[in-house]
Amino acid sequence: PNLTNMIYKAIVIDDSAIQRLTTTHLVNNHPNLELIGSFSNASEALTTTILDQAEILLLDTMLSDIDAFEVLDKVAFRPAIIMMHASKNNAEENQIHRITDYLVKPISKKEFESALQRVMAEIEASRKFKDVLGSINKKINHMISKAIKEMSDR
């Protein structure tokens, strides 16, 4: 899909000020991203309604106030999730929480771009799938309505 024209809303949650600044800089300088929130801790992020608007969540795994996986357990929405940590770990938790991608700190621009390409492709595939399901649902509802009308006309 042509992802160059799409804009995705992103949120950064990282308790490391340097890493948060680095990540928000990468987001702000990416043509397909709009930074809608940057938080130094999960508690602050969880008290805002802006989380529900995010399409991409860049989340530090080792937050000082709450575990990143606990954050994911507390949110009703499910954006694409890019976990950030000093090393790849928690493989089982990553599968349970459907982590889209994983970045090892310090994050390079090249790794960031690669992860975003995968995430954006996944978001677009999900949108297409939802569109197909919606179309099928409309057709089924039309067929049911038609069948009901035909039965009531008898």
Side-chain angles (χ1 to χ4, degrees):
N2 182 5
L3 306 174
T4 57
N5 299 328
M6 301 297 297
I7 302 295
Y8 303 90
K9 294 178 180 180
I11 290 179
V12 175
I13 304 174
D14 198 323
D15 56 1
S16 163
I18 292 171
Q19 189 58 55
R20 190 173 58 259
L21 285 171
T22 301
T23 307
T24 56
H25 176 78
L26 288 168
V27 170
N28 283 328
N29 287 293
H30 194 283
N32 298 100
L33 297 180
E34 174 189 355
L35 182 68
I36 61 170
S38 178
F39 301 96
S40 61
N41 63 66
S43 300
E44 181 185 355
L46 289 168
T47 61
T48 180
T49 57
I50 202 164
L51 278 176
D52 296 334
Q53 300 169 31
E55 294 171 285
I56 300 173
L57 177 61
L58 294 118
L59 180 62
D60 181 18
T61 56
M62 299 298 291
L63 297 165
S64 58
D65 60 338
I66 186 173
D67 180 79
F69 296 109
E70 290 178 55
V71 172
L72 299 177
D73 287 337
K74 292 177 186 263
V75 292
F77 73 101
R78 188 52 68 193
I81 301 159
I82 299 176
M83 295 296 272
M84 304 177 294
H85 190 54
S87 63
K88 287 192 176 191
N89 62 356
N90 299 320
E92 186 177 328
E93 288 281 0
N94 290 344
Q95 288 180 333
I96 291 169
H97 290 90
R98 297 181 8 243
I99 305 305
T100 310
D101 215 319
Y102 209 104
L103 290 171
V104 177
K105 296 178 183 180
I107 300 168
S108 74
K109 185 175 181 180
K110 183 179 178 181
E111 291 168 336
F112 181 78
E113 290 287 337
S114 293
L116 276 177
Q117 288 302 314
R118 289 186 294 273
V119 165
M120 292 186 300
E122 181 175 294
I123 291 170
E124 289 310 307
S126 177
R127 286 179 180 168
K128 283 185 178 181
F129 182 70
K130 287 177 185 174
D131 289 346
V132 168
L133 285 180
S135 176
I136 291 170
N137 193 31
K138 283 181 186 178
K139 289 177 183 177
I140 290 171
N141 286 337
H142 176 74
M143 290 168 51
I144 291 170
S145 296
K146 187 176 175 182
I148 291 172
K149 184 177 180 341
E150 287 175 3
M151 288 172 49
S152 66
D153 288 346
R154 289 184 190 166

